[in-house]
Amino acid sequence: ETTTTTTTTETTGDISRIRTTLEELRQSHATDGNPESIQRILAILRNDLGKRGDITFHTLLHTGIGKTVNKLAKHENTTVRKAAIPILHKWKKIDQSTPDDVKAAAVALV
């Protein structure tokens, strides 16, 4: 049996790519109102972000994904808002449970 562990660098890279995709889809929907953009946003929120257990304070800080998801929590589409808000709550718990010394070390790396 092989166990796959994701390193912080891999996670950060994945989340950075997801953030870029979400930003592009959000802007695309704002420009042309394409309903397919909403479906892709929802799939990413539910499947790619909502189910991840490898996101740390370091990942949140270095990718800025929280800013993007926060914008989606204020989106005009109710379903998008409802998908984004629980993710933000989960990440707030990560922030609150991260010791100050770990936060300081992560901030120093920025």
Side-chain angles (χ1 to χ4, degrees), residues 25-56:
L25 289 168
R26 189 179 65 79
Q27 291 170 358
S28 169
H29 181 263
T31 303
D32 62 17
N34 186 346
E36 185 179 312
S37 297
I38 294 295
Q39 293 309 312
R40 290 191 58 209
I41 289 169
L42 288 170
I44 291 169
L45 289 173
R46 292 174 177 155
N47 301 323
D48 295 329
L49 294 178
K51 295 179 180 178
R52 287 191 85 121
D54 60 347
I55 296 177
T56 64

Side-chain angles (χ1 to χ4, degrees), residues 64-79:
I65 187 70
K67 293 175 185 175
T68 298
V69 176
N70 193 44
K71 290 176 189 172
L72 294 173
K74 299 171 185 172
H75 197 276
E76 65 186 30
N77 183 291
T78 306
T79 309

Side-chain angles (χ1 to χ4, degrees), residues 54-103:
D54 60 347
I55 296 177
T56 64
F57 178 82
H58 174 86
T59 303
L60 294 172
L61 179 70
H62 289 274
T63 62
I65 187 70
K67 293 175 185 175
T68 298
V69 176
N70 193 44
K71 290 176 189 172
L72 294 173
K74 299 171 185 172
H75 197 276
E76 65 186 30
N77 183 291
T78 306
T79 309
V80 170
R81 286 196 309 267
K82 287 181 179 179
I85 290 171
I87 294 168
L88 290 175
H89 288 290
K90 180 178 172 181
W91 292 347
K92 184 153 185 85
K93 289 178 185 175
I94 290 170
D95 176 52
Q96 291 170 340
S97 67
T98 302
D100 288 341
D101 60 330
V102 173
K103 286 181 183 180

